[in-house]
């Protein structure tokens, strides 16, 4: 079992007993006021980015309480309560924070909704053509300039070492490789690591992580190093470019972090972020709540919660689209071959 898998497992084992005992929701009544108080307290004692977000945009969770508490009344409907609680959670500006009921899911997708999509499925289908290959759920082919193109849309599944090796074997004669992860919203960290491990020949420090040790906003363990070990079998030795947009999130954001440590060049838009491992709890009325509970950092101990900047910032242009060109892929091809 790889080191990062072990690290995450250890962290969660230490985290779970604490998170399960922080807030006793049974002490709160199953009414609008009780559910509001329980949710505010769960986040107050367990959420992982208060300090970072206070620094970034002035988040004050106590002030949030003062502003939303007067909106709670005994005669409000379930839908009204859900709206108030959902709006309160949006103050965290975190795509990993959700409130789940039988009739809706409160979410904050501002990390990509407020920005250009910077992707076109129509154009991607054009680049892949009809004779592309599939392995491990990933589509791939060699482009006409002898640059390999690999489309990875999710880390929700395990790829398998043999699948990745087969893909790289197909690209052996290529001058460079493009890995397109645009619109990849994440999945399993182990899958992100599994793919990235084929792009390094040595064990690399790729980041750090912490876990909560108490109820206070500053109560965290010391940072623990994350290491990426080279995969067994075939590993890529040439130029690699990773294409990104704002919907690259969570485990996909971590993949970009790993690949930067492996020498990859990042082309496209800023990633969406999502550097907190999510955990779930429940309100007295049975609504579920998910939140970031385990912060992760890059190798320089900087948070990537609000994303990772590309080496080359590129947006899709209407002119290229109507000419049948993907601006970001084309820039990736030029970077890949050194133009």
């Amino acid at each position: 079992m790889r080191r990062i898998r072990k690290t995450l497992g250890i962290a969660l084992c230490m985290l779970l007993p604490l998170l399960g005992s922080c807030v006793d929701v049974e002490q709160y009544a199953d009414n609008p006021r009780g559910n509001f108080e329980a949710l505010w307290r769960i986040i107050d004692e367990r959420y992982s980015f208060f300090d970072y977000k206070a620094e970034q945009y002035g988040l004050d969770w106590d002030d949030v309480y003062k502003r939303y508490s007067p909106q709670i009344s005994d005669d409000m409907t379930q839908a009204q309560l859900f709206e108030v609680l959902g709006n309160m959670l949006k103050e965290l500006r975190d795509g990993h924070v959700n409130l789940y009921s039988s009739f809706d899911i409160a979410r904050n997708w501002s990390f990509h909704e407020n920005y250009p999509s910077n992707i076109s499925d129509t154009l991607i289908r054009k680049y892949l053509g009809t004779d592309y290959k599939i392995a491990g759920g990933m589509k791939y082919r060699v482009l006409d300039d002898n640059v390999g193109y690999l489309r990875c849309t999710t880390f929700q599944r395990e790829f398998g070492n043999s699948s990745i090796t087969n893909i790289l074997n197909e690209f052996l004669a290529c001058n460079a490789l493009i890995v397109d992860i645009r619109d990849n919203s994440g999945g399993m960290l182990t899958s992100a690591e599994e793919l990235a491990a084929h792009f390094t020949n040595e064990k690399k420090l790729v980041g750090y992580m912490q876990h909560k040790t108490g109820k206070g906003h500053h109560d965290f363990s010391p940072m623990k190093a994350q290491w990426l070990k080279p995969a067994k079998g075939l590993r890529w030795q040439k130029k690699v470019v990773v294409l990104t947009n704002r919907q690259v999130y969570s485990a996909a954001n971590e993949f970009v972090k790993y690949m930067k440590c492996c020498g990859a060049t990042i082309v496209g838009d800023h990633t969406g972020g999502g550097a907190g491992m999510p955990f779930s709890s429940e309100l007295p009325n049975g609504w579920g709540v998910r939140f970031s509970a385990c912060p992760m950092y890059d190798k320089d101990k900087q948070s990537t919660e609000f994303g990772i900047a590309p080496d080359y910032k590129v947006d899709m242009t209407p002119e290229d689209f109507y000419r049948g060109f993907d601006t970001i892929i084309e820039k990736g091809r030029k970077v890949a071959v050194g133009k």
Side-chain angles (χ1 to χ4, degrees):
M1 186 175 291
R2 298 187 180 95
R3 176 65 175 272
I4 293 180
R5 190 193 300 264
K6 291 181 180 178
T7 301
L8 296 179
I10 292 170
L12 281 178
C13 287
M14 300 178 71
L15 181 68
L16 291 176
L18 172 69
L19 293 178
S21 62
C22 280
V23 178
D24 181 6
V25 296
E26 293 181 359
Q27 68 179 294
Y28 296 99
D30 182 8
N31 56 36
R33 172 58 57 183
N35 283 288
F36 170 81
E37 297 288 344
L39 178 59
W40 186 89
R41 182 65 61 184
I42 287 170
I43 299 299
D44 182 63
E45 295 184 359
R46 307 183 190 184
Y47 187 65
S48 60
F49 290 117
F50 282 121
D51 286 349
Y52 177 70
K53 294 187 176 179
E55 175 186 334
Q56 293 295 309
Y57 64 92
L59 174 66
D60 183 335
W61 194 238
D62 290 326
D63 179 68
V64 169
Y65 181 92
K66 293 175 184 177
R67 288 189 284 114
Y68 283 87
S69 180
Q71 300 180 40
I72 303 298
S73 63
D74 292 337
D75 59 350
M76 68 194 311
T77 66
Q78 289 289 287
Q80 290 170 332
L81 175 63
F82 188 86
E83 181 179 4
V84 172
L85 297 187
N87 288 338
M88 181 174 73
L89 292 178
K90 287 180 181 178
E91 300 277 351
L92 299 171
R93 303 185 189 180
D94 190 330
H96 276 145
V97 174
N98 302 101
L99 183 65
Y100 301 92
S101 72
S102 61
F103 54 85
D104 201 1
I105 300 176
R107 66 263 183 200
N108 177 28
W109 290 342
S110 61
F111 64 90
H112 69 83
E113 287 179 330
N114 298 336
Y115 301 91
S117 63
N118 277 320
I119 193 168
S120 164
D121 290 338
T122 299
L123 292 180
I124 287 178
R125 286 195 295 270
K126 177 182 177 181
Y127 281 85
L128 283 171
T130 58
D131 58 345
Y132 62 84
K133 297 182 179 181
I134 303 177
M138 295 180 284
K139 299 177 180 180
Y140 62 102
R141 69 165 302 157
V142 178
L143 302 179
D144 56 17
D145 55 356
N146 202 35
V147 171
Y149 177 76
L150 174 64
R151 177 79 176 122
C152 176
T153 59
T154 183
F155 289 114
Q156 292 285 358
R157 58 178 295 170
E158 294 184 357
F159 301 123
N161 183 71
S162 61
S163 293
I164 300 173
T165 296
N166 288 337
I167 292 172
L168 295 181
N169 188 64
E170 190 75 15
F171 294 145
L172 284 179
C174 292
N175 298 320
L177 173 61
I178 292 173
V179 181
D180 189 348
I181 63 166
R182 288 176 294 172
D183 275 15
N184 185 326
S185 59
M188 298 184 291
L189 285 176
T190 49
S191 294
E193 175 204 352
E194 183 180 30
L195 182 56
H198 285 266
F199 294 90
T200 181
N201 290 321
E202 60 184 13
K203 180 179 175 181
K204 287 186 177 294
L205 174 69
V206 293
Y208 295 86
M209 68 184 307
Q210 291 179 297
H211 60 269
K212 276 285 246 169
T213 57
K215 299 178 180 180
H217 291 187
H218 315 291
D219 295 340
F220 291 95
S221 67
M223 289 190 181
K224 188 174 183 63
Q226 291 175 289
W227 295 93
L228 181 68
K229 294 176 63 176
K232 296 180 180 179
L234 190 61
R235 296 189 293 272
W236 186 254
Q237 308 294 316
K238 304 175 188 177
K239 180 78 173 182
V240 58
V241 174
V242 178
L243 307 186
T244 59
N245 67 354
R246 287 278 178 170
Q247 286 209 61
V248 171
Y249 196 75
S250 192
N253 189 70
E254 283 288 289
F255 176 75
V256 175
K257 183 179 85 174
Y258 303 157
M259 293 298 288
K260 283 178 67 70
C261 294
C262 296
T265 302
I266 314 302
V267 173
D269 203 353
H270 203 284
T271 66
M277 186 178 295
F279 186 79
S280 297
S281 188
E282 188 174 288
L283 301 186
N285 64 0
W287 292 351
V289 57
R290 186 179 77 147
F291 52 90
S292 300
C294 183
M296 293 175 285
Y297 308 85
D298 65 17
K299 65 181 180 61
D300 298 316
K301 299 184 178 181
Q302 299 300 305
S303 176
T304 61
E305 166 66 3
F306 283 148
I308 298 170
D311 297 302
Y312 293 91
K313 174 68 169 67
V314 182
D315 292 316
M316 300 271 286
T317 68
E319 295 80 10
D320 281 345
F321 177 82
Y322 290 116
R323 291 191 303 126
F325 293 109
D326 185 312
T327 313
I328 295 176
I329 290 180
E330 291 302 320
K331 179 61 177 180
R333 293 171 80 168
K334 291 178 179 179
V335 171
V337 297
K339 292 184 179 179

